[in-house]
Amino acid sequence: MSKVNFLNVHKSFGDVEVLKGINLTVEPSKVVCLIGPSGSGKSTLLRCVNHLETATAGAILVDGQMMGYNVRGDRLVEASEAEINKRREDVGMVFQSFNLFGHMSALENVMFGPMRLKKISRSVAREQAVALLTKVGLGDRLENYPSQLSGGQQQRVAIARALAMEPKVMLFDEPTSALDPELVGEVLEVMRELARSGMTMIVVTHEMSFAREVADEVVFMDGGVIVERGEPEALLSNPQHERTRSFLSRVA
Ligand code: ADP
Ligand code: MG
């Protein structure tokens, strides 16, 4: 599984700098949970990893390969669209809002990426999709359309769809925030299992019990900087910074 390095990552939208020099290393097979108030830059940071946003300065390396650029001698050269798309295949992303194709069944949603982007045959893609959907507990829902599934089921399809591309790192942006409380657990269980299987994961979440149990490191961001980081128990039970304490007292 991949290692991810954030090297002094800055991102501005116009005059507004929303990431102000993020340095972070996520070792292979480790789980990092990103927490912090709304607007602190968590989603932007994740989106920079697969180049949905382009960092204004600094670099992000996935397995030592820079997203978006190539090194030529001592110069940086922008990667081609094809190279960017290729590197994106290593980075799976799951959003708050599922983003499934509404006109496709669960099975077709999971088969789509491998067939379209990896040129895998329909029969092989189908076999893999059935296995993945079974793994996330939806083996009996293959032919259902998103509108026929609960939010928790849709999010599990979205996870299976991301995994179908055989990513080396998975990014989750508040994957349970849009779910009714009783559906949160089934999605977290799938994520827990994925972590156990050795996937490198960066998870933006407000689920502190998940962070406490699954994360190798918890990172607290505020105002575009990392304020504090540490092992979950230490950071969540004994935060060193006032901003962390105040945030945790509001979400706990
Ligand atoms: P978080 O995920 O922690 O809530 P975001 O990364 O979504 O934070 O946003 C960080 C800041 O960047 C916010 O102030 C937000 O308004 C701003 N922002 C995010 N995306 C854009 C964009 N495409 N254009 C302008 N500002 C943006
Ligand atoms: Mg966000």
Side-chain angles (χ1 to χ4, degrees):
M1 287 302 148
S2 288
K3 170 172 176 160
V4 185
N5 292 105
F6 298 85
L7 304 172
N8 197 22
V9 173
H10 290 255
K11 174 66 183 174
S12 298
F13 293 106
D15 295 341
V16 185
E17 190 173 46
V18 303
L19 297 177
K20 301 174 181 170
I22 301 290
N23 288 292
L24 178 66
T25 298
V26 184
E27 297 290 346
S29 299
K30 297 293 181 189
V31 178
V32 168
C33 284
L34 277 182
I35 63 173
S38 176
S40 55
K42 307 180 299 296
S43 295
T44 303
L45 187 65
L46 282 194
R47 291 166 60 81
C48 284
V49 177
N50 59 3
H51 221 62
L52 293 172
E53 303 286 357
T54 307
T56 343
I60 296 173
L61 308 178
V62 177
D63 277 340
Q65 282 231 318
M66 211 175 319
M67 286 310 284
Y69 299 90
N70 291 313
V71 182
R72 296 249 192 285
D74 55 4
R75 287 189 316 128
L76 281 186
V77 183
E78 261 185 72
S80 69
E81 197 59 33
E83 287 173 308
I84 291 173
N85 285 333
K86 194 76 204 147
R87 277 171 219 176
R88 272 189 187 136
E89 291 181 8
D90 288 341
V91 183
M93 187 150 181
V94 173
F95 303 89
Q96 182 174 336
S97 53
F98 327 140
N99 296 352
L100 296 176
F101 302 117
H103 61 292
M104 292 184 192
S105 68
L107 195 58
E108 290 165 335
N109 264 282
V110 179
M111 289 166 64
F112 181 80
M115 283 175 61
R116 172 79 175 267
L117 300 169
K118 295 205 161 189
K119 312 294 182 206
I120 283 171
S121 73
R122 171 166 281 276
S123 62
V124 172
R126 187 175 204 286
E127 215 170 288
Q128 290 174 348
V130 169
L132 281 168
L133 284 165
T134 303
K135 195 165 120 182
V136 301
L138 295 172
D140 56 348
R141 295 294 196 153
L142 304 178
E143 305 300 340
N144 283 160
Y145 286 83
S147 61
Q148 301 168 318
L149 299 171
S150 73
Q153 291 168 333
Q154 289 183 61
Q155 193 60 300
R156 286 184 283 148
V157 175
I159 293 171
R161 183 179 60 173
L163 293 176
M165 293 300 288
E166 302 182 309
K168 297 186 186 142
V169 51
M170 284 283 287
L171 313 176
F172 292 87
D173 194 355
E174 300 197 33
T176 60
S177 295
L179 299 176
D180 292 334
E182 73 271 22
L183 303 178
V184 168
E186 64 193 53
V187 172
L188 293 180
E189 184 48 39
V190 167
M191 292 169 62
R192 218 176 264 126
E193 190 52 47
L194 191 59
R196 272 197 290 264
S197 79
M199 180 63 76
T200 308
M201 295 166 54
I202 308 177
V203 183
V204 175
T205 188
H206 296 298
E207 295 290 334
M208 296 305 153
S209 58
F210 176 83
R212 193 180 286 266
E213 182 199 344
V214 179
D216 295 288
E217 186 176 34
V218 177
V219 172
F220 172 67
M221 282 179 68
D222 194 9
V225 300
I226 292 176
V227 174
E228 181 166 357
R229 68 181 74 186
E231 290 185 2
E233 186 56 34
L235 187 129
L236 298 173
S237 301
N238 188 20
Q240 299 300 302
H241 289 258
E242 176 49 37
R243 279 198 279 177
T244 320
R245 276 197 285 275
S246 137
F247 171 75
L248 288 173
S249 70
R250 277 179 280 133
V251 295

